[in-house]
């Protein structure tokens, strides 16, 4: 049986096919190819954004405050302002959105056992 290292070398995103390849090297095995190459779609960070959303090389103030997660709110966001001295081609703000995490019950003992 062929076994390959779990971490592979990822190539740059091919802009024409929007695919990237991952190369895994042989860990152990007999009569196995020395490498295996898999193709996968480029992730959002690999793909170049189009138009005004292109923020590569732009620096933003990451100390912005997150919005609150409340009842019925599924995600929270923060709006980061462009740092001074950045290119005028950079959008003035960048918004990051993450899902709200459900809070687990705190201070409750296991069912059937006293606290």
């Amino acid at each position: 049986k062929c076994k390959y290292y779990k971490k592979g070398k990822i190539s740059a995103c091919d802009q024409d096919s929007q695919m990237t390849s991952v190369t895994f090297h042989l860990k152990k095995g007999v009569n196995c190819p020395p490498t295996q190459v898999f193709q996968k779609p480029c992730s959002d960070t690999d793909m170049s954004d189009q138009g005004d959303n292109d923020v590569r090389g732009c620096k933003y103030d990451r100390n912005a405050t997150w919005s609150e997660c409340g009842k019925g709110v599924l995600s929270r966001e923060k709006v980061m302002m462009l740092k001074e001295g950045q290119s005028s081609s950079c959008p003035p703000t960048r918004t990051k959105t993450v899902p709200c995490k459900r809070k687990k019950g705190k201070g409750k003992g296991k069912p059937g056992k006293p606290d």
Side-chain angles (χ1 to χ4, degrees):
K1 187 173 182 179
C2 301
K3 294 209 176 201
Y4 292 85
Y5 288 100
K6 291 181 183 179
K7 292 189 178 182
K9 182 175 173 139
I10 302 173
S11 69
C13 180
D14 181 333
Q15 296 300 319
D16 295 330
S17 66
Q18 291 298 309
M19 298 292 280
T20 186
S21 60
V22 183
T23 304
F24 295 97
H25 293 278
L26 182 66
K27 190 174 192 178
K28 64 180 179 178
V30 179
N31 297 328
C32 301
T35 59
Q36 277 192 337
V37 179
F38 293 96
Q39 296 284 326
K40 69 175 195 168
C42 297
S43 68
D44 291 338
T45 56
D46 292 338
M47 291 192 291
S48 64
D49 296 325
Q50 301 296 322
D52 291 338
N53 293 329
D54 192 2
V55 295
R56 290 175 295 153
C58 302
K59 295 192 187 293
Y60 292 87
D61 181 9
R62 295 172 39 169
N63 293 326
T65 305
W66 286 98
S67 64
E68 294 293 321
C69 286
K71 199 169 199 165
V73 178
L74 301 177
S75 63
R76 61 188 183 139
E77 65 181 31
K78 70 176 175 178
V79 179
M80 300 174 284
M81 303 300 290
L82 185 65
K83 286 186 176 180
E84 287 187 35
Q86 294 296 302
S87 170
S88 61
S89 64
C90 295
T93 61
R94 182 176 180 192
T95 303
K96 183 168 184 164
T97 305
V98 296
C100 291
K101 294 180 181 175
R102 289 184 4 179
K103 292 183 180 178
K104 300 192 182 202
K106 292 184 179 178
K108 295 183 180 178
K110 292 185 179 179
K113 293 190 177 185
D115 285 340

